[in-house]
Amino acid sequence: MKPNTTIVADARKTRLSPRNRLDWYLLAIVVLISCVAIIPFYLLVLLALKSPIGGLAAIRLMPDFHFVNFITAWQRSALGKAMFNSLVMTAGGVGLLVFLSSMAGYTIARFPGKLNRTIFTILLLCMMIPGIINTVPLYTLLIRLKGINTYWAMICVMAVNAMPFAIFLYSSFIRAMPVSLEESAIIDGCSWFEAFWRITFPLIGPVTSSVVILQGLGMWNNYAQAVFFLQDKAHRNIPLSISLFFQQYGADWPLMAAAAFLGLLPAVAAFLVFQRYFVEGITAGALKG
Amino acid sequence: MHIDTGSWHRYMALPAFLLFSLFFLFPLMQGAVLSFTDWDGFSTPSFIGFQNFVDFLHDARALQDVRTTVLFALGSAPLLNLCGLALALLLNKKFRGKQVVRALLYLPAVISPMIMGSIWYLLLQPKRGLFALLLQRVGVSGQGNWMLSSNLALVIIVLVNVWQYAGMTMVIYLAGLQAIPLEHYEAADIEGASSSQTFRHIVFPQLIPSLKINIITNIIGSLSVFEAILALTDGGPGYDTESLSIYILRMCYGNKTGYSTAVALMLFLIILIPVFISLRFFNKVEER
Amino acid sequence: MKRRTTMVSLIAAVVLLAVTVLPVVAQGAGEKEIVLDYFSGRVETVDWDAEKIAGFEAENPGITVEYEFQKDASNVIKVKLASGEVPDITTVVNQDFIDQGIYMDLSDAAFWNRILPSVKDLCTDLRTGKQYKVATNVTMGGLFYNKAVFTELGLSDAQTWEQFVANLEAIKKAYPDKTPLFLGGKDSWTLGHFVEFWAHGIVKQQLGIPGSRQAFLDNTVEWDAPNGIMENFAKALLELRDKGLLNSDAITATYDNQKEAFASGEAVIINQGMWVVGDIVKLNPAMATNIGFGPFPSVVKGLSPMVLCAEDSVYAISATSEHQDAALKFLEYMFSVEVQKEYSEARSMPSAFIDVESNWSPIKDDAKRLASAYVNINFSTEAPSGLSVDDTGRLIQKLLNGDYASPKVFATEYQKLWDNAY
């Protein structure tokens, strides 16, 4: 990493080392908020480590350390395969989403002609329509396209569902960016299309990161579509696998929590990786300009 | 090899739109037709004109659900934005462990919604939940049962919803804060602006895109709420805290598929109005 | 330099697109195998089903069974049917689908002479007199009670409503900290089962099972008759609530709470089905010998106590399946004595096959005694599928919450719910 990047990046931030009273307050608030946020997660851990004796009523602040739940859950729900499936479909879905939506957001923000304005309006309207309406026709369509039990169909469906939001996000942020950087590239002999990929796309790293973080999570946790389009064991994703712990009456919460805990680790890791781009993407870009 | 990309920029939305049309728009239009039928989900539907929409206006349960949904959104959408913005401003400062705190705030949204329900209920259940037991231990004996008063129940559902999704709103605000060019801060620093001045004149204008996105998505999200409600009250007692989205889901698989489609279109209208107003507002702000 | 990174990212994006959008289906050419779709909603036996399918495929080369399990099977199958895709074999059957002619007529199948006559009757469609589904097991429901407490207080199965209330009051007096009758009303299906057993049961007792099934098909039961079934039922529940014989959080406690309270001894009686037994023993292994099983009393005077004795684990074959013979072959394999013995023990439910002897549950002897001593009622399978136990349970939530001015109003609301579902 270039040293000057970090120095400039620091300049915009107030230092939060407890030097004066205000900073102490802020620190206290941060600690408090973190505690509040961590409660459900801690309960998930308690639940995942719960022995069957006594059930949920026997949950105490100290875990039971019934680690065998993780092994049982992993095996019973074939979680390894499910994680692989979820990974392939989420990566594919996010890739497709970012590729198509960033382009669309760019042209909608920069060239608001009749075509682009119409497309944007339709997408916005669709964002407000409850998706449940298209379940049956979509199912019929996927049977005809032989898309049931395939990665590609789920990838397309999930990417499409996330598209209105992603395009909205991209177009709003690109509109707020100065057009001067692209214009200087045009003077250098680029086309607008090339200018997008060379200049704009690297600059909107934070936006791409939020799309990946927000929509990737939705795809990772997708149940509403998966329940219809992924039918055989070989293609089950994580939520479908976790749903195996629901019985006809009631559910096996400890095993479900154990499976859910394992299933969320990759999602948390992805968040930690992508939030770094929040800072680096924009400073690197800004320095170039 | 050189491909001439000179005019491509005008059509860059087409690939996205074509895929969207195939997998969303066409099925949607086919589905919307069902709102004019009495389809039960399996037998042959027959066309009944606008009957479903007329029924909706006389459906006491649906109208109560509209009230619940709107009340929920009135509480949830502003609160989510406020908390998300406050968190983003706080976590945009530099301090040790910032990355970890951000991840923690995001955590509630990551946990699978399927298990989230049982976790919230474990915490908040009247008389038996961990909070109730904790209160008992410190001497506050809970005689009341928040779930049985639909207004109190709604307040709690709103708070839980904020607790769960403030992290996601924060992510978008953070992206907005990061998009503020450094030179602006530097300029403000050089001119000796106070922090509130910096916020008003530098930060706020740059936050408008994220504000717009968050307000609109939170309106949409809050008006189509169902997971938080299903988890905490399951819409009960009776149908007192049921939202319109839950009703649509239940009707769709309860042999009233045609009707559920019509209700879904009504929900669309209910969402459209505030979104339209906000969009108009933001367009004016952006023009200025 | 910049140009190169752009090109690389562009190419990467295009490759990603191509890889993801290309179908990953790799199907061998020239297959002449029979492929059966088997759609199941039975989560308890997902692994077991897969194992049995493998056994069947080994015995029958040339037939492949594609197994699909769904937690939300009853919803998923509606979408499948709507798209014209009916699985060859399914475990999801309801009266509406039978009326639509979706299932194959199984009346001539060989397995019927091995199945209990009462179960065959329950599998018979009243409109046509034919069998479109087959059930392999019997499930029972009633009151589960803490044997130790009953023995200590000298209580026995209540024969009348008054005796039932007296039992509960005796428990409350002896153990003020315990809950005599525990409800888990947040999971509204548990309250729906109350209606199913206690209220619908009356009709079944009065009209007999065939008569009540016909009445449900035609919606001829007068639920809201003055001093009728629903009014008495509502009065009975309110009496229990007002005398403090229910848990104070009857509406907000869950099914999990109910099981745990019973397992820990906090609750003395619960109204459930035999599916609860295995879970209770898991929560507290010492309960295995302490679970008593009894009938529930009639809320209408002059009738006998009842016990739910219904068909369970049903199968049906699609009427439009191209491989009905192969599907029947699969059912015959699943219905063999050894396979059914395993199933009965795995699910802790008695078998409906007369030649299957299994050791299925600690309450086996009690169950046998109840089934012969008391009036047997079935599940209301003829009620319209739009009327769920979830919906009926919600009316009980409202009743217990004091939302109805009188039991009479409740009865009227209940009648409305039925009328709307037809």
Side-chain angles (χ1 to χ4, degrees):
Chain A
M1 190 191 277
K2 285 164 280 177
N4 62 331
T5 314
T6 33
I7 292 166
V8 183
D10 284 355
R12 61 199 268 200
K13 286 158 191 154
T14 1
R15 284 194 180 275
L16 194 75
S17 55
R19 239 180 266 156
N20 52 42
R21 248 172 65 197
L22 187 71
D23 284 352
W24 277 110
Y25 285 136
L26 284 178
L27 194 68
I29 291 173
V30 168
V31 170
L32 187 77
I33 292 172
S34 311
C35 288
V36 168
I38 210 171
I39 291 175
F41 182 71
Y42 185 64
L43 248 124
L44 182 77
V45 174
L46 285 182
L47 210 53
L49 289 172
K50 180 78 194 69
S51 84
I53 304 297
L56 306 183
I59 283 187
R60 297 291 170 268
L61 280 181
M62 270 302 279
D64 278 359
F65 298 116
H66 199 69
F67 284 106
V68 72
N69 282 346
F70 287 104
I71 299 166
T72 318
W74 180 274
Q75 288 170 342
R76 283 246 311 263
S77 61
L79 202 61
K81 178 76 185 153
M83 275 197 179
F84 175 77
N85 289 337
S86 279
L87 198 69
V88 171
M89 288 184 279
T90 307
V94 166
L96 188 63
L97 177 71
V98 166
F99 177 65
L100 294 179
S101 309
S102 60
M103 279 201 302
Y106 172 70
T107 184
I108 285 167
R110 290 285 186 247
F111 310 101
K114 209 171 187 183
L115 173 74
N116 284 339
R117 277 219 299 263
T118 315
I119 290 178
F120 187 60
T121 311
I122 293 175
L123 288 171
L124 255 187
L125 288 176
C126 286
M127 204 157 113
M128 294 171 242
I129 289 188
I132 195 171
I133 298 181
N134 67 17
T135 307
V136 172
L138 187 59
Y139 190 81
T140 317
L141 177 76
L142 288 190
I143 290 174
R144 267 194 238 135
L145 295 178
K146 299 210 180 304
I148 304 290
N149 287 332
T150 62
Y151 291 142
W152 67 265
M154 265 307 275
I155 287 172
C156 288
V157 168
M158 293 193 303
V160 153
N161 282 343
M163 222 172 248
F165 174 79
I167 292 177
F168 186 38
L169 202 67
Y170 274 119
S171 66
S172 305
F173 275 110
I174 293 173
R175 197 171 295 147
M177 272 172 52
V179 74
S180 52
L181 292 175
E182 289 150 29
E183 278 168 351
S184 58
I186 302 293
I187 293 167
D188 288 348
C190 261
S191 70
W192 283 98
F193 178 77
E194 288 161 341
F196 168 70
W197 288 110
R198 278 185 48 192
I199 311 291
T200 321
F201 189 73
L203 265 178
I204 48 175
V207 183
T208 302
S209 292
S210 13
V211 168
V212 172
I213 286 174
L214 297 173
Q215 301 300 332
L217 181 70
M219 295 183 193
W220 188 255
N221 281 337
N222 182 293
Y223 180 76
Q225 277 75 40
V227 71
F228 294 113
F229 307 142
L230 301 176
Q231 306 179 342
D232 64 1
K233 201 178 169 184
H235 289 89
R236 257 182 224 147
N237 68 357
I238 290 179
L240 285 179
S241 285
I242 294 177
S243 77
L244 289 173
F245 298 112
F246 279 101
Q247 300 148 4
Q248 185 184 1
Y249 300 112
D252 195 329
W253 296 115
L255 289 187
M256 206 188 314
F261 180 86
L262 296 172
L264 74 76
L265 293 181
V268 174
F271 178 83
L272 287 173
V273 169
F274 277 97
Q275 73 157 347
R276 294 183 169 273
Y277 289 96
F278 273 15
V279 182
E280 286 171 21
I282 197 68
T283 41
L287 283 175
K288 271 178 216 154
Chain B
M1 192 181 79
H2 184 79
I3 305 167
D4 180 25
T5 55
S7 60
W8 284 22
H9 56 273
R10 295 194 185 281
Y11 308 106
M12 280 163 77
L14 280 184
F17 189 66
L18 289 180
L19 199 69
F20 186 77
S21 304
L22 178 63
F23 286 106
F24 195 94
L25 215 50
F26 289 135
L28 181 80
M29 289 190 294
Q30 278 174 287
V33 173
L34 293 173
S35 63
F36 300 102
T37 68
D38 64 351
W39 199 40
D40 55 11
F42 43 89
S43 48
T44 325
S46 50
F47 188 77
I48 55 166
F50 284 90
Q51 191 56 46
N52 284 329
F53 297 92
V54 176
D55 287 351
F56 174 82
L57 296 176
H58 296 100
D59 183 345
R61 179 171 159 193
L63 296 179
Q64 194 193 0
D65 290 349
V66 171
R67 180 183 167 274
T68 307
T69 307
V70 170
L71 280 179
F72 173 85
L74 283 176
S76 169
L79 210 55
L80 258 177
N81 272 299
L82 280 177
C83 292
L85 181 57
L87 290 175
L89 287 172
L90 192 63
L91 295 185
N92 198 37
K93 295 182 181 301
K94 184 166 178 72
F95 59 90
R96 203 180 290 250
K98 178 178 67 178
Q99 310 268 338
V100 178
V101 176
R102 277 187 196 165
L104 283 182
L105 285 174
Y106 190 61
L107 213 47
V110 183
I111 300 176
S112 153
M114 265 182 231
I115 191 152
M116 211 57 228
S118 70
I119 289 186
W120 290 121
Y121 205 65
L122 268 177
L123 278 171
L124 297 170
Q125 180 178 7
K127 310 220 185 233
R128 288 168 199 277
L130 296 186
F131 282 162
L133 295 181
L134 218 65
L135 285 177
Q136 256 172 37
R137 194 159 294 175
V138 297
V140 186
S141 69
Q143 284 303 309
N145 187 329
W146 61 263
M147 264 184 77
L148 299 186
S149 143
S150 59
N151 287 336
L152 191 56
L154 263 184
V155 170
I156 292 198
I157 295 167
V158 165
L159 291 178
V160 167
N161 197 56
V162 170
W163 184 350
Q164 190 163 0
Y165 292 114
M168 300 188 96
T169 310
M170 171 194 79
V171 166
I172 294 175
Y173 278 124
L174 272 177
L177 287 172
Q178 303 290 343
I180 297 170
L182 291 177
E183 302 85 54
H184 291 200
Y185 282 100
E186 286 156 9
D189 242 19
I190 292 163
E191 283 165 28
S194 74
S195 57
S196 73
Q197 277 171 326
T198 313
F199 182 79
R200 262 233 317 271
H201 299 292
I202 311 274
V203 180
F204 189 71
Q206 294 289 330
L207 269 180
I208 284 179
S210 9
L211 217 79
K212 176 166 130 187
I213 291 160
N214 269 329
I215 286 181
I216 285 170
T217 50
N218 282 332
I219 290 175
I220 297 173
S222 299
L223 284 172
S224 21
V225 59
F226 71 100
E227 267 159 7
I229 295 183
L230 279 183
L232 287 170
T233 64
D234 198 25
Y239 304 105
D240 288 357
T241 54
E242 189 179 66
S243 74
L244 216 47
S245 287
I246 299 178
Y247 185 57
I248 293 166
L249 203 70
R250 286 179 174 157
M251 285 295 117
C252 183
Y253 297 116
N255 290 11
K256 287 190 165 180
T257 314
Y259 181 63
S260 81
T261 313
V263 179
L265 290 178
M266 298 306 283
L267 176 59
F268 167 64
L269 288 181
I270 293 173
I271 296 175
L272 186 61
I273 296 163
V275 169
F276 182 75
I277 294 171
S278 333
L279 275 178
R280 285 292 292 269
F281 171 75
F282 277 108
N283 282 345
K284 269 193 189 149
V285 171
E286 277 174 350
E287 273 165 27
R288 235 190 273 159
Chain C
M1 182 63 195
K2 267 182 197 169
R3 191 175 288 266
R4 185 176 292 171
T5 27
T6 316
M7 283 310 286
V8 168
S9 57
L10 242 181
I11 289 166
V14 170
V15 168
L16 186 72
L17 190 68
V19 168
T20 54
V21 174
L22 277 179
V24 206
V25 230
Q27 278 184 337
E31 285 173 32
K32 283 224 169 133
E33 264 198 354
I34 294 176
V35 179
L36 290 175
D37 291 325
Y38 171 35
F39 180 75
S40 163
R42 243 169 252 151
V43 63
E44 290 83 356
T45 51
V46 174
D47 295 332
W48 185 85
D49 268 339
E51 205 180 287
K52 293 304 130 191
I53 288 167
F56 172 75
E57 286 176 339
E59 268 184 30
N60 295 277
I63 305 181
T64 311
V65 180
E66 297 245 336
Y67 173 56
E68 176 184 0
F69 158 77
Q70 291 290 359
K71 170 176 87 79
D72 291 317
S74 56
N75 294 347
V76 174
I77 199 159
K78 282 183 184 167
V79 173
K80 278 178 183 282
L81 294 184
S83 307
E85 199 205 43
V86 193
D88 296 302
I89 305 159
T90 174
T91 67
V92 187
V93 181
N94 73 43
Q95 185 63 37
D96 289 332
F97 298 166
I98 292 177
D99 293 347
Q100 288 290 315
I102 281 162
Y103 304 119
M104 170 192 171
D105 178 8
L106 298 173
S107 307
D108 298 328
F111 46 68
W112 288 112
N113 55 26
R114 291 172 52 217
I115 284 181
L116 290 171
S118 60
V119 172
K120 187 180 177 186
D121 284 347
L122 290 174
C123 289
T124 305
D125 175 40
L126 286 176
R127 289 212 171 101
T128 57
K130 290 175 175 166
Q131 291 89 28
Y132 295 97
K133 64 175 179 187
V134 50
T136 60
N137 289 73
V138 178
T139 190
M140 294 180 69
L143 298 176
F144 291 86
Y145 58 82
N146 188 314
K147 252 188 196 166
V149 174
F150 261 54
T151 318
E152 189 197 325
L153 301 178
L155 306 177
S156 59
D157 291 348
Q159 303 298 314
T160 63
W161 178 254
E162 289 73 23
Q163 198 187 338
F164 179 62
V165 175
N167 277 355
L168 294 177
E169 283 179 322
I171 295 166
K172 190 176 165 69
K173 206 173 148 202
Y175 295 101
D177 288 343
K178 287 188 194 287
T179 302
L181 180 65
F182 193 104
L183 306 190
K186 197 229 173 189
D187 291 312
S188 52
W189 61 266
T190 64
L191 297 179
H193 275 171
F194 247 106
V195 182
E196 178 71 336
F197 298 3
W198 294 42
H200 294 186
I202 305 277
V203 183
K204 289 160 193 165
Q205 181 168 167
Q206 285 171 331
L207 302 180
I209 288 184
S212 69
R213 289 175 72 199
Q214 192 64 49
F216 286 173
L217 263 185
D218 306 337
N219 192 23
T220 53
V221 182
E222 271 190 62
W223 298 108
D224 58 348
N227 197 26
I229 298 164
M230 288 326 275
E231 209 181 312
N232 274 297
F233 172 64
K235 268 187 208 153
L237 269 185
L238 292 179
E239 180 187 351
L240 298 182
R241 184 196 67 181
D242 295 341
K243 289 186 172 164
L245 301 172
L246 306 176
N247 44 323
S248 64
D249 59 346
I251 307 175
T252 56
T254 62
Y255 173 56
D256 283 317
N257 296 147
Q258 188 186 41
K259 283 191 294 195
E260 287 159 11
F262 188 81
S264 71
E266 179 198 338
V268 181
I269 306 180
I270 58 174
N271 180 70
Q272 270 302 344
M274 52 176 39
W275 51 80
V276 80
V277 174
D279 282 358
I280 289 172
V281 175
K282 229 193 255 173
L283 290 167
N284 180 5
M287 279 305 275
T289 53
N290 196 21
I291 305 175
F293 184 36
F296 44 89
S298 165
V299 293
V300 171
K301 269 194 198 336
L303 294 176
S304 314
M306 289 160 270
V307 59
L308 176 91
C309 225
E311 76 276 25
D312 198 289
S313 302
V314 300
Y315 296 85
I317 296 177
S318 157
T320 53
S321 166
E322 289 168 19
H323 309 296
Q324 293 185 337
D325 289 340
L328 274 172
K329 214 175 197 177
F330 177 67
L331 288 192
E332 288 291 356
Y333 176 86
M334 293 296 276
F335 293 174
S336 69
V337 173
E338 310 82 66
V339 174
Q340 281 305 312
K341 180 176 186 300
E342 268 183 46
Y343 184 83
S344 161
E345 285 168 1
R347 293 294 309 276
S348 304
M349 263 191 303
S351 179
F353 289 95
I354 45 182
D355 50 2
V356 174
E357 273 294 327
S358 67
N359 201 2
W360 52 272
S361 173
I363 59 161
K364 192 180 172 188
D365 296 335
D366 261 342
K368 210 172 231 171
R369 177 178 61 84
L370 290 192
S372 56
Y374 298 106
V375 174
N376 288 197
I377 63 163
N378 63 327
F379 271 123
S380 309
T381 38
E382 276 73 23
S385 66
L387 183 91
S388 66
V389 283
D390 193 76
D391 286 321
T392 52
R394 279 168 199 282
L395 289 196
I396 309 294
Q397 288 179 344
K398 294 181 81 135
L399 175 76
L400 291 173
N401 197 28
D403 290 353
Y404 298 118
S406 68
K408 208 168 164 37
V409 177
F410 169 77
T412 321
E413 286 295 317
Y414 192 74
Q415 182 74 51
K416 253 195 238 162
L417 192 68
W418 269 70
D419 294 346
N420 285 337
Y422 278 88

